[in-house]
Amino acid sequence: EDQVTQSPEALRLQEGESSSLNCSYTVSGLRGLFWYRQDPGKGPEFLFTLYSAGEEKEKERLKATLTKKESFLHITAPKPEDSATYLCAGGRRDYGQNFVFGPGTRLSVLP
Amino acid sequence: DGGITQSPKYLFRKEGQNVTLSCEQNLNHDAMYWYRQDPGQGLRLIYYSQIVNDFQKGDIAEGYSVSREKKESFPLTVTSAQKNPTAFYLCASSILVSPHEQFFGPGTRLTVL
């Protein structure tokens, strides 16, 4: 069964304290690993898509990387406005049922 | 501005009532989706549609119904048969090529009184 897990469940950082979020996946025939940011009470906002092991993408203080079993979201020198829940999803070939979402990591950055 | 709108933002339902959640997109996307989000769980797919007048059940379709009469619109009805409907409901859309990033609306929070 296809599955995506994320760790830690929650993470508290001081402003400027860099860290990484983990997304582990077992998705047969993975076709893309997707990262989203979700603020409380709002819909997820798309961040990145990674397609192959070794690929990296960056956006401001965020960098996403992909291996054959995991993806990491690295946050460098975070600011309080980076506080949110970060979701990852494995993409698969089957149309419609094509995303498997993880439960998310709730990040809090304290000033 | 292109995007997805959902209404209402908050919805309260009495037990035994059917309620309909609205989802509209002006991104010209063919595919639309409905997800349910509960605390501590990943998004779970309720229904999806690739084309007008066609839709398919997702993992948790029981107690829900949808229609797709227009490309831009994909309303979700939560029926009285849904035993635990209190949740955050998210609508998304994407281009037809699979898989491709899905873009989400702002969500509707449904509470059963």
Side-chain angles (χ1 to χ4, degrees):
Chain A
E1 181 183 347
D2 293 338
Q3 189 174 9
V4 173
T5 59
Q6 292 186 248
S7 62
E9 182 177 329
L11 180 63
R12 298 182 74 177
L13 300 174
Q14 290 296 131
E15 184 172 2
E17 179 186 1
S18 301
S19 188
S20 296
L21 313 182
N22 175 268
C23 171
S24 296
Y25 62 89
T26 51
V27 176
S28 57
L30 184 82
R31 297 227 175 159
L33 191 292
F34 299 79
W35 281 97
Y36 288 83
R37 168 193 170 125
Q38 186 176 24
D39 293 305
K42 297 188 176 181
E45 174 190 347
F46 171 72
L47 293 174
F48 304 110
T49 307
L50 302 166
Y51 287 105
S52 56
E55 188 176 359
E56 299 183 352
K57 287 193 177 173
E58 291 188 59
K59 180 179 180 179
E60 296 181 358
R61 295 176 292 281
L62 301 176
K63 183 169 79 172
T65 62
L66 183 66
T67 72
K68 289 187 178 180
K69 293 184 179 180
E70 298 174 302
S71 179
F72 294 92
L73 186 65
H74 307 277
I75 303 175
T76 302
K79 298 181 177 182
E81 53 262 41
D82 294 321
S83 298
T85 296
Y86 291 87
L87 305 172
C88 72
R92 53 191 180 187
R93 187 200 322 249
D94 301 330
Y95 189 78
Q97 308 270 12
N98 59 4
F99 272 30
V100 181
F101 279 92
T105 292
R106 191 171 61 255
L107 174 67
S108 300
V109 182
L110 307 176
Chain B
D1 286 339
I4 303 175
T5 58
Q6 291 185 241
S7 62
K9 185 173 175 66
Y10 299 98
L11 187 57
F12 298 91
R13 191 194 92 169
K14 294 181 180 179
E15 289 200 17
Q17 280 184 334
N18 292 353
V19 291
T20 297
L21 284 60
S22 169
C23 177
E24 303 276 336
Q25 55 98 0
N26 60 6
L27 299 169
N28 200 33
H29 286 167
D30 288 296
M32 296 187 74
Y33 313 81
W34 273 106
Y35 290 92
R36 170 180 172 141
Q37 187 174 36
D38 295 282
Q41 296 190 40
L43 276 66
R44 293 183 290 167
L45 184 66
I46 304 173
Y47 268 98
Y48 65 95
S49 170
Q50 303 175 51
I51 195 170
V52 173
N53 293 324
D54 184 61
F55 45 83
Q56 305 296 327
K57 293 182 179 179
D59 297 320
I60 56 166
E62 185 175 350
Y64 300 97
S65 65
V66 293
S67 63
R68 187 88 185 273
E69 298 178 358
K70 299 186 299 182
K71 184 177 182 178
E72 301 79 20
S73 179
F74 192 40
L76 173 74
T77 296
V78 184
T79 75
S80 56
Q82 169 50 234
K83 299 305 179 189
N84 185 23
T86 294
F88 191 49
Y89 290 86
L90 289 160
C91 178
S93 71
S94 74
I95 66 173
L96 205 54
V97 176
S98 177
H100 203 277
E101 53 262 30
Q102 297 178 10
F103 295 92
F104 286 84
T108 292
R109 183 163 301 279
L110 172 64
T111 302
V112 174
L113 301 174

